[in-house]
Structures are given as C-alpha cells and as structure tokens.
Amino acid sequence: MRSAIAMGLLLVGLLLQSTVLNHMMIFGVKPDLILLVTAFWGFLRGPREGALVGAAGGLLLDLWRGRWIGLSSLTNLVVGYVAGSVGDRFFKDNLLVPFIIVAGASLLDGILFLALGNSFGLNYPLLPMLGRKVFPSLLYNLVVTPFVYSILWRTHQKLTRWVWTRGGM
Amino acid sequence: MDGLARRRAIVVFGVVFLLAVSLIFVTARERTRTSWVERTMQDAFSPLQKAASSAALYISDTWQTLRRISSLEKENEDLHKRITQLAAENVLLNQYQKENQELRRLLAFRQTVPYKMMAAEAISRDPSNWFNTLTIDKGSAQGLKVHQPVITEDGVVGQIRHVNQYTADVLMLLDSKSAIGGQIQGTQDFVLVEGADDGSGKAVVKPLSPEVVVKQGDVIVTSGLGGIFPKGLLIGRISEVKDWKYGLSTKIGVLQPAVRFSRLEKVFVITDLNN
C-alpha cells in the first residue's frame, strides 16, 4: 500500500516534470517534484522510508535519462535519509519547517549532484552551476512547497490511520 | 290522418314557409339596424359567449402551450444536442485547420531541404533541471541513429544523443554539453556554438581563431565541419557581444537561437545527408 502510493506520487511527479512544468519554467528551471516528495516522505515518515522513496524516485529520473544511471538515485536517497533523520528533531506541524526542509534538500541535492556527477565526468563548473541551477530551483521548489506538502501531509495521515485500523503495512 | 288535419298541416307549413322566405328576403339586404329581438338575444347571450369563448380560448391556449412545451422541450433537447455536436465539430475543424496549415508549412519546408528527413514529435523534456534534452516519438525502430541532426523549419534543434526502440533523446543546442561547428554568414569565419545552460535560453558563440570578430546581429549557420550537421543550416543570430578571458578570443557572442525551444512540437531528424 505504502509503496504503491509513494510510487504513484513519484510517477505523477515525473510525468509533470517532463511535460507540463516545461511550460512553467522560470529562469530556465522548473520545480523538482520528485525531490520534494522524497524530502517530505522522509521528513514525515522517517529516514528508512525517505531513503527508499528517494532511491526509487532518483532511479526513475536516471532511467528516464538513460545516462549516469544511479546518480539521481544516490543523491535522492541521501536527501530522503537526511530529511528523515532531521525530521525527528522538528515539530511536524510548524508551518516554517517544510520550507526549511525543502531549502536544505534542494541545496544538498544540488551539491551532491554536482560533486558526484563531476567525479563521473559530468564536468559542470561548480559555482556557476550553483547560481544557474541550484539556487533558482531551490526558490521555485519553495514556491510549490505548500501544495506538495499538503498532499504529502494528508497522505501521511491516511497511511498512519490505515496502519492503526487495519494493522497493515 | 283525416282530410281536415292534413289540410291544417299543409297550411301551417305554407305559413311558416312564407314567413321564412320573407324573413330571408328582408334580412338578405344590407341592414344598418338590427331588430329588438336580435338585439335582446345577442345582448343576453353575450356574457355567456364571452365566458365560453374565453374558456375555449384558455383551453385551446393551454392545450397549444402544453403541446408546444412538449415539442419545445424536445426541440430544446435537440438543439442542445446539435449545439454540443457543432461545438465539438467546430473544435475539430479548428484543429484540422491548424494542422492543415502546419502540415502545409512543414511540407513546404521539407521540399526546400535537400536531405532525407523524418518528421517526429517532441513528447517530453528531461524531468530534471540538469540537462537540456528532449524526447521525440521516433526511435531505432524507425531507423534513427545516434548523432543524427535534429532541426525544425526555423533552424537547428540539436542532435540525437541516444536512441531507444520507439523514442530518442535529443541533446538540444542549449545544453552545456552541446557544441556545434558554426560559421558566420557573410565572413565565413568558423566559430563554435556551445550551450550556455544558464536558463536564458541562449547559447554562446566562440570564435575558433583569435582574429575572428563576432558582431551583434551576425547570423550563425552550421559549418558542416564535424560531419554531423550539413553545411548552411540556420542556428541563430548574435544578440550581444561579451568579453571573454578564457579562450582563443577576447570576445564571444551570445546567440539567440532561431528555434523557439519553449514551443517545440514538430521536429525533423536528418536521416541521410544525401537525398
């Protein structure tokens, strides 16, 4: 059940990112829905699930791209895990927290992607890329945070209730 | 019946007949005045007549209305159906018209380009912000190969980076990994067009030797060197010249691509440079 929902969310994210969101680009970037799903899933449901969802979402991106397969899987896995570990220390109903999580996740993902990608021959200039890609995308991610977080929050509530009432996984 | 009674009957009939005929005769002419009998009768009847006729009118009207309502309801329903149908047809026709115009344009373009080409549709972009790639709906099953040039009637889009069975990924000239051999139209000087990848939707034109000068407004076409793109395809126009401290030249051009990447729908893959 959990995996199906997570996969559904990731697939919707992938579909939107590869089609509709290209018409809504600002400064050459679009929101990274998969990253947001990963970060919030981890934040709300712990490091283990965060890492799994991150790896799955990253793998979708990697397979789509067909090159540097594993790069996004790895970065998103770390983001999901870190968001989960950090999540334990935050009050989950504080309105500011999702934004902090997204800012941190976007930054971490960008830096990891550049560091790892460059070690595998991507050869992106680090500082210019931070300015051109990572920060604009961080800002755009913050803009869509309320929408994505509300979906993830509700999903989390339903899953928690579901486990309580059915004792299912 | 005895003879007396018979005669009386004949007389009565005769009188009545005569009376009637004379009445007919009298009233057959145009009359300005009616008799008191007529007047009294007509006046006495008139309220009843009025009531009756208005009742009749009412019933008739109601009946008519009822009949009309049911027929109107049906008519309304039919019209609604028709409107929906026509609206749908209209949308379809508009679409056909647009498609027709588009296809005519593409056909005209196809006839002007002397290479073997395959039309394809752009179906998606790379989901992340890291790469400027485009997925098209044709792949190895249709004979596409890596490094084949992709263009539109406006100019160069990029080249195929990898091929799946039914789709292919196109590295757009905006991507920082893209480098296309170009030439300044007019001076024929060689340049390299690289993706700027800074979100501006522009590319960078780097001269290939120190003496080459790039100017604002220069038109850049493919040079044909490198063996991927044929010579003479439009890449774009230099919109700005900037100082540069790393390469061979001290100035580089900022290129506004001829293709509008934000609105890419139909593209052509050049499958054979010899037609």
Side-chain angles (χ1 to χ4, degrees), chain A residues 17-18 30 122 124 133, chain B residues 125-127 129-130 177 197:
Chain A
Q17 272 173 246
S18 59
K30 54 199 166 196
L122 204 57
Y124 277 158
K133 302 277 181 188
Chain B
R125 296 278 180 98
D126 187 282
N129 287 318
W130 297 106
K177 297 288 168 208
D197 205 8

Side-chain angles (χ1 to χ4, degrees), chain B:
Chain B
M1 192 187 278
D2 56 3
L4 187 72
R6 194 185 242 171
R7 251 176 276 137
R8 194 186 286 164
I10 289 168
V11 171
V12 169
F13 174 77
V15 171
V16 168
F17 181 78
L18 278 176
L19 208 65
V21 169
S22 22
L23 255 179
I24 291 168
F25 179 75
V26 171
T27 57
R29 285 176 299 156
E30 203 167 305
R31 295 190 310 162
T32 50
R33 294 181 61 208
T34 49
S35 67
W36 67 269
V37 184
E38 288 164 281
R39 279 201 299 274
T40 312
M41 211 174 77
Q42 278 174 9
D43 288 350
F45 268 108
S46 68
L48 274 178
Q49 283 172 327
K50 226 173 175 172
S53 53
S54 56
L57 201 67
Y58 178 76
I59 291 168
S60 152
D61 272 2
T62 312
W63 177 243
Q64 290 279 339
T65 311
L66 284 173
R67 276 182 53 184
R68 264 188 30 221
I69 284 174
S70 71
S71 75
L72 276 178
E73 259 175 11
K74 201 182 170 316
E75 198 180 332
N76 200 10
E77 205 177 295
D78 288 348
L79 285 174
H80 266 294
K81 267 189 205 154
R82 189 97 189 100
I83 286 173
T84 318
Q85 196 185 341
L86 285 174
E89 269 173 27
N90 212 6
V91 169
L92 212 63
L93 284 176
N94 273 336
Q95 206 180 318
Y96 285 157
Q97 193 186 10
K98 269 195 199 138
E99 262 178 39
N100 193 0
Q101 281 168 354
E102 177 79 7
L103 289 174
R104 273 171 196 277
R105 213 160 48 84
L106 294 178
L107 188 68
F109 167 65
R110 230 187 149 125
Q111 281 163 351
T112 60
V113 179
Y115 315 108
K116 231 177 230 160
M117 297 195 295
M118 179 176 288
E121 228 158 284
I123 49 174
S124 68
R125 296 278 180 98
D126 187 282
S128 76
N129 287 318
W130 297 106
F131 304 95
N132 279 301
T133 59
L134 177 79
T135 308
I136 57 173
D137 66 344
K138 298 275 158 46
S140 59
Q142 285 81 24
L144 296 193
K145 295 190 188 87
V146 174
H147 295 317
Q148 284 175 332
V150 180
I151 61 173
T152 70
E153 69 271 34
D154 295 325
V156 173
V157 173
Q159 56 174 292
I160 294 183
R161 195 189 54 169
H162 80 246
V163 190
N164 307 312
Q165 198 170 0
Y166 299 107
T167 58
D169 274 1
V170 179
L171 185 71
M172 298 192 278
L173 69 84
L174 298 178
D175 193 281
S176 59
K177 297 288 168 208
S178 161
I180 300 171
Q183 215 168 3
I184 302 174
Q185 206 176 44
T187 64
Q188 307 295 318
D189 287 327
F190 291 112
V191 293
L192 195 64
V193 180
E194 291 179 355
D197 205 8
D198 56 0
S200 63
K202 294 188 175 171
V204 175
V205 178
K206 293 179 178 167
L208 281 182
S209 60
E211 60 271 15
V212 173
V213 181
V214 288
K215 295 188 302 295
Q216 192 180 348
D218 277 351
V219 172
I220 309 295
V221 296
T222 50
S223 63
L225 299 179
I228 291 177
F229 289 92
K231 194 177 157 78
L233 295 174
L234 181 63
I235 305 177
R237 188 180 285 271
I238 293 182
S239 60
E240 193 187 332
V241 175
K242 274 186 176 171
D243 290 329
W244 184 249
K245 44 185 188 281
Y246 305 107
L248 291 165
S249 169
T250 54
K251 302 268 184 201
I252 56 162
V254 176
L255 177 116
Q256 176 68 54
V259 169
R260 280 179 71 192
F261 286 94
S262 57
R263 300 192 66 83
L264 267 184
E265 281 178 31
K266 287 210 166 61
V267 298
F268 289 101
V269 182
I270 300 181
T271 51
D272 194 349
L273 293 182
N274 313 303
N275 196 3

